[in-house]
Amino acid sequence: MAEIAKNLINGAWEEASGGKTFENRNPADISEMVGVVTKSDKTDVDKAVKAARGAFNEWRLSPAPKRAEILFKAGELLTKRKQELGELETREMGKILPEGLGDVQEAIDMLYYMAGEGRRLSGETIPSELPNKDCKSVRVPVGVCALITPWNFPIAIPAWKIMPALVCGNTVVFKPSNYTSLSAARLVEILHEAGLPRGVLNLVHGRGEEIGEHLALHPDIDCVSFTGSTAVGQKLAAACTEKGKKVSCEMGGKNAIIVMDDANLELAVEGAVWGGFGTSGQRCTAASRIVVHSDVHDKFLDMFAGAASRLKIGNGLLKNTDIGPVISSVQMEKVLNYIDIGKKEGARLVAGGKAYKEGNCARGYFIEPAIFSEVTPAMRIAQEEIFGPFVSVMKAKDLEEAIGIVNGTKYGLVASIYTQDVNKSAIAERDLDTGLVYVNASTIGSEVQLPFGGTKRSGFGHKEAGGRGGAIDMFTRWKVIYRDYSGRLQKAQIDR
Ligand code: NAD
């Protein structure tokens, strides 16, 4: 049965003011309507921002450990509904169920992790150069945050932003991707049920071009955290900076795996399949390039193409499915168009690359996992983010050349290296110009307690998630406090 996703504004679930809706259909079978979503316009955004502003002062002043208790409770509620939400994600955006469940688990991890942060959020005390005076720096919330998210992690990415924003004392207007409105609504419903006061978290559904920019640039928004494409992120980062807003953007990638001549090839192939074709290649961290040492290139390619052709394509709710559909007809056309581009550029298609319509896949957006070899670094298929089951394999004569190829794009999110040689690993860790580096593991697998984000055109501003430099830095400002209890005028630098 089709579900309904409404806006949540000032604690009330409501239809958008214009009364319009749009449909979300299952990309594995577009005859299935997953839900009907209310379609907001700018009036709804204004209302949501006003509600968030109205709730800010009280929420800011509530003790952080109390705010954290609500997150902890939401963690327990989400744990109980993990299966239901994992299945909803699979129906809404196509990823296979184990990945859908993993996505929900990541949100649960983030809820518990950020609940713990409620009892930390620590600053520093630093000695003064003057007697009877103390100095400290404290974290304060930024204000009202606009959080804008993509569809490929419908629950985890929103959780990466909402939980730290709330525990730090900010209020939120959340605009999820229109492809995954229902999953987003269920997450917000759980936080609401866990006891968030009204207005603290508001949800508006709709298309990015229609309401996203209006939300981000709204004069009453203090902080914008965006995850999505580089094209949109760059534009938002520039416009928000110009308006004096705090802004962070996590954007696209062209991630790569290096396979050295001493690598455990079975392990590297498994990593390439998982990195290249997990979530049908629709992860910001997807391994869309594999750079292989010339001495093992042919053997690796054979093994990789064999493994890819054995992947079972189908509806992600069915057991044994390895690879689900891509998100939409537009995305399907885009990936198939890149297959043509690759052929025209002179690369060799060694596996897949066709629309897949067998059995019950006829009404979905399925593509056979594609592998190109004889790809050279300047080709478009080696430079541009494709965001589908599409991997370009390249050759390198040594580690230095491989690192040069990996670093030679405008992106810098993730790189990985397979090698048994500790010295090569150390050089790669040092010289790969990406936000995350994996050794003997694929490009996928970040954990919530460490920071996440890219360099160059993959990331702008603060990183996401936990650890030093992570989301707590994004959602707080440092305030410095000097308190003089000497009872007289003391002058720093002058009284000596
Ligand atoms: P997208 O940029 O089309 O949309 C992302 C979000 O922004 C959506 O909510 C959308 O409605 C909204 N939006 C669109 N146009 C807007 C505008 N002009 N102003 C404000 N908001 C707008 O991206 P997508 O297709 O949803 O997601 C895929 C992209 O996201 C890929 O490039 C992928 O690499 C990237 N991504 C990055 C990360 C990361 O952490 N680096 C994680 C996941 C996805």
Side-chain angles (χ1 to χ4, degrees), residues 33-218:
M33 183 158 73
V34 183
V36 178
V37 185
T38 199
K39 188 166 185 270
S40 313
D41 59 26
K42 292 176 183 166
T43 325
D44 303 300
V45 171
D46 294 345
K47 255 176 88 178
V49 175
K50 189 169 174 208
R53 175 60 63 195
F56 175 59
N57 211 32
E58 208 174 316
W59 184 244
R60 163 180 87 87
L61 296 174
S62 66
K66 291 280 167 216
R67 301 196 290 256
E69 279 170 22
I70 299 175
L71 298 193
F72 191 87
K73 185 155 177 219
E76 292 181 306
L77 294 173
L78 187 54
T79 304
K80 285 196 191 117
R81 292 179 63 182
K82 180 174 169 181
Q83 184 72 21
E84 171 207 333
L85 267 74
E87 286 174 13
L88 175 60
E89 277 196 25
T90 299
R91 289 168 57 228
E92 204 175 22
M93 62 71 67
K95 65 170 67 173
I96 60 172
L97 183 57
E99 292 182 21
L101 294 172
D103 190 63
V104 180
Q105 185 59 47
E106 199 163 337
I108 294 168
D109 295 346
M110 187 54 94
L111 275 158
Y112 289 145
Y113 180 81
M114 285 299 163
E117 283 297 304
R119 286 192 183 266
R120 277 186 290 265
L121 286 183
S122 45
E124 288 183 306
T125 57
I126 297 154
S128 169
E129 65 184 46
L130 293 165
N132 298 322
K133 181 181 175 187
D134 53 30
C135 322
K136 62 184 175 186
S137 57
V138 294
R139 289 183 183 274
V140 294
V142 185
V144 180
C145 301
L147 308 182
I148 301 178
T149 56
W151 47 266
N152 62 340
F153 288 88
I155 293 185
I157 290 180
W160 279 34
K161 297 181 187 302
I162 295 172
M163 309 321 163
L166 293 181
V167 84
C168 292
N170 304 278
T171 56
V172 166
V173 180
F174 166 38
K175 196 217 83 68
S177 166
N178 45 288
Y179 287 112
T180 47
S181 313
L182 291 139
S183 306
R186 296 300 162 257
L187 177 67
V188 169
E189 183 182 283
I190 283 168
L191 281 154
H192 185 55
E193 202 186 318
L196 281 181
R198 67 194 172 92
V200 167
L201 173 61
N202 304 275
L203 168 68
V204 283
H205 297 289
R207 297 195 194 284
E209 319 78 64
E210 289 163 19
I211 59 164
E213 201 167 309
H214 181 71
L215 169 63
L217 302 184
H218 193 290

Side-chain angles (χ1 to χ4, degrees), residues 148-152 175 208 212-213 226-229 251-252 284 385 452:
I148 301 178
T149 56
W151 47 266
N152 62 340
K175 196 217 83 68
E213 201 167 309
F226 165 89
T227 298
S229 60
M251 304 177 282
C284 54
E385 186 184 49
F452 178 93

